[in-house]
Amino acid sequence: MTVDTTTAPVAPASVRQSDPNLAVTFPRVLKSEWIKLRSVRSTVITLLASAAVVVGIGVLAAAVQSGSITPAGGAGGGRGQGFGTDPTGISLAGVQLAQLIVAIVGVMYVTSEYSTGSIRSTLAAVPRRWPVLLAKFVVLGATTFVVQLVAVFIAFFAGQGILGSKGVTLADTGVLPAVIGAAVFLTGTAVLGVALGFLLRSTASGIAVAVAAFFLLPGILGLFSTSVQDNIRPYLPSSAGTSLTSVTHSAEYLNYWPALALLVGYVVVLGGFALVRMVRSDAN
């Protein structure tokens, strides 16, 4: 991912303050970040790829579960035991992989500017700094939500169509919140990636931490005693996704609204640390 480092000359602060047409306002910072996001082709392609993963794996999981796919070397239809028995969860099976993709998009959305040095031009134009962080949160968050909301609804309807009489509808209890919750979780994950980008300023480090948080920690937790697992598992970032995308909730995880609060808490805390690092350190 690369960002064009050529920028127009920045007017002095005294000139910008005296001329309303040159004043730095949050809507203008938002517009600038939106231009950055849509002008970097790799970001757009990766976001669309994450949506394709949500739809593709959801359709595949539904096909396996319904018996439409025959496993190699065996007779009869596939049972899809690895996808569970919740029809909604089957359609949303692709969220687990898509969370890593959107987290990487969030990290690279920030670290690409640090790697090219264009962050200096950005912060020279917006010396207060916090509007830059907030604008990146808003722009990538809103874009991710729209893209993923479309993807999860396509995955749901396609999956339920494959499952046929075994499927469910949006009118069934808990189904609509789970479908929307999948898009919300992926949005929160992308924003967490942005926060990691500002905190670590390194693409490799940011991706490593994202992989550890969403994939390695749940596995490592399995090495500990049951009591330790029960006390920690509900509060992992990935567990928030499990709760938000589930129709029926297990005692091992938080319920829907506490899980949403947990995800928001992660964003606020990590975003706060990222802001402190932005304000107190040089742009390098």
Side-chain angles (χ1 to χ4, degrees), residues 104 107-108 111 115 196-197 200-212:
I104 291 174
V107 169
M108 297 185 66
T111 57
S115 64
L196 285 175
L200 302 175
R201 303 184 179 184
S202 165
T203 301
S205 298
I207 293 176
V209 172
V211 171

Side-chain angles (χ1 to χ4, degrees), residues 213-271:
F214 289 103
F215 287 93
L216 297 185
L217 279 181
I220 293 174
L221 188 62
L223 301 176
F224 295 88
S225 64
T226 302
S227 60
V228 172
Q229 294 182 44
D230 292 341
N231 289 326
I232 297 178
R233 181 185 291 111
Y235 305 103
L236 295 177
S238 57
S239 296
T242 300
S243 298
L244 289 173
T245 57
S246 299
V247 173
T248 57
H249 299 285
S250 168
E252 298 179 353
Y253 298 95
L254 297 176
N255 289 328
Y256 189 93
W257 293 111
L260 179 59
L262 176 66
L263 180 63
V264 172
Y266 272 118
V267 170
V268 170
V269 171
L270 210 59

Side-chain angles (χ1 to χ4, degrees), residues 7 39 50 59 66 99 101-102 121 128 134 175 195 198 209 220 245 247 249 272-273 284:
T7 57
S39 62
S50 68
V59 169
S66 68
Q99 67 181 340
I101 299 175
V102 295
S121 299
R128 298 179 67 184
L134 183 57
V175 173
F198 277 115
V209 172
I220 293 174
T245 57
V247 173
H249 299 285
F273 283 124
N284 52 37

Side-chain angles (χ1 to χ4, degrees), residues 44 47-52 141-152 154 183:
V44 176
L47 270 177
L48 293 178
S50 68
T143 303
T144 302
F145 180 73
V146 171
V147 171
Q148 300 303 334
L149 189 65
V150 172
V152 294
I154 292 175

